[in-house]
């Protein structure tokens, strides 16, 4: 099955107010926009994230939907949500995939999310 034209865009912000260098707690919020450029509705069924700390330690997160929802995204529509990641290091990466269902064929498919950087201000020169 050929992949449907689904576009994922992510922006990241560092939350200095919630972070504490002394406690090795670095909080990042990330906003995800999933755009459905296909002629069919899709439903977001599940997510998978691989979170890598600057130390090299990895954590994997899997779950149904996102932020408690399994949204239906119509043709030409976008779904946006915000979530958080808490790292022990000021720099890390996230990558993963969304599992979507093509409602016209009832076939599930994965949309990969390329690695993106989580970095506190001034953590990278």
């Amino acid at each position: 099955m050929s992949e449907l034209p689904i576009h994922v865009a992510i922006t990241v912000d560092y939350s200095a107010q919630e972070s504490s260098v002394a406690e090795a707690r670095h909080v990042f919020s990330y906003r995800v926009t999933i755009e459905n450029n296909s002629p069919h509705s899709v439903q977001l069924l599940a997510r998978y994230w691989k979170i890598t700390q600057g130390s090299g330690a990895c954590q994997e997160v899997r779950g149904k939907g996102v932020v408690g929802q399994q949204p239906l995204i119509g043709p030409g529509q976008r779904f946006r949500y915000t979530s958080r990641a808490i790292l022990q290091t000021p720099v890390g990466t996230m990558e993963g995939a969304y599992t979507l269902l093509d409602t016209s064929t009832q076939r599930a498919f994965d949309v990969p999310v390329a690695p993106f950087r989580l970095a506190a201000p001034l953590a990278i020169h």
Side-chain angles (χ1 to χ4, degrees):
M1 174 181 159
S2 62
E3 273 190 53
L4 293 175
I6 306 297
H7 178 71
V8 177
I10 299 174
T11 59
V12 178
D13 287 314
Y14 181 72
S15 180
Q17 319 75 285
E18 297 179 83
S19 299
S20 170
V21 174
E23 296 173 13
R25 176 183 164 88
H26 301 275
V27 180
F28 299 89
S29 68
Y30 56 93
R31 287 179 304 283
V32 178
T33 302
I34 301 169
E35 187 173 359
N36 178 6
N37 295 314
S38 80
H40 308 288
S41 292
V42 296
Q43 184 174 14
L44 195 160
L45 299 179
R47 71 189 181 287
Y48 162 75
W49 290 117
K50 178 181 175 188
I51 304 165
T52 305
Q53 308 266 347
S55 64
C58 290
Q59 173 187 4
E60 293 189 359
V61 178
R62 296 176 191 275
K64 285 187 176 182
V66 291
V67 295
Q69 300 178 58
Q70 289 183 305
L72 185 67
I73 309 167
Q77 293 183 337
R78 295 179 180 147
F79 175 75
R80 290 186 174 106
Y81 75 95
T82 301
S83 192
R84 298 182 340 150
I86 301 172
L87 277 61
Q88 295 175 341
T89 59
V91 176
T93 61
M94 284 180 67
E95 63 187 288
Y98 292 108
T99 301
L100 300 174
L101 178 73
D102 179 336
T103 60
S104 69
T105 63
Q106 295 301 301
R107 290 196 176 143
F109 62 98
D110 288 337
V111 174
V113 178
F116 59 95
R117 184 186 310 264
L118 305 170
L122 307 176
I124 299 177
H125 302 287

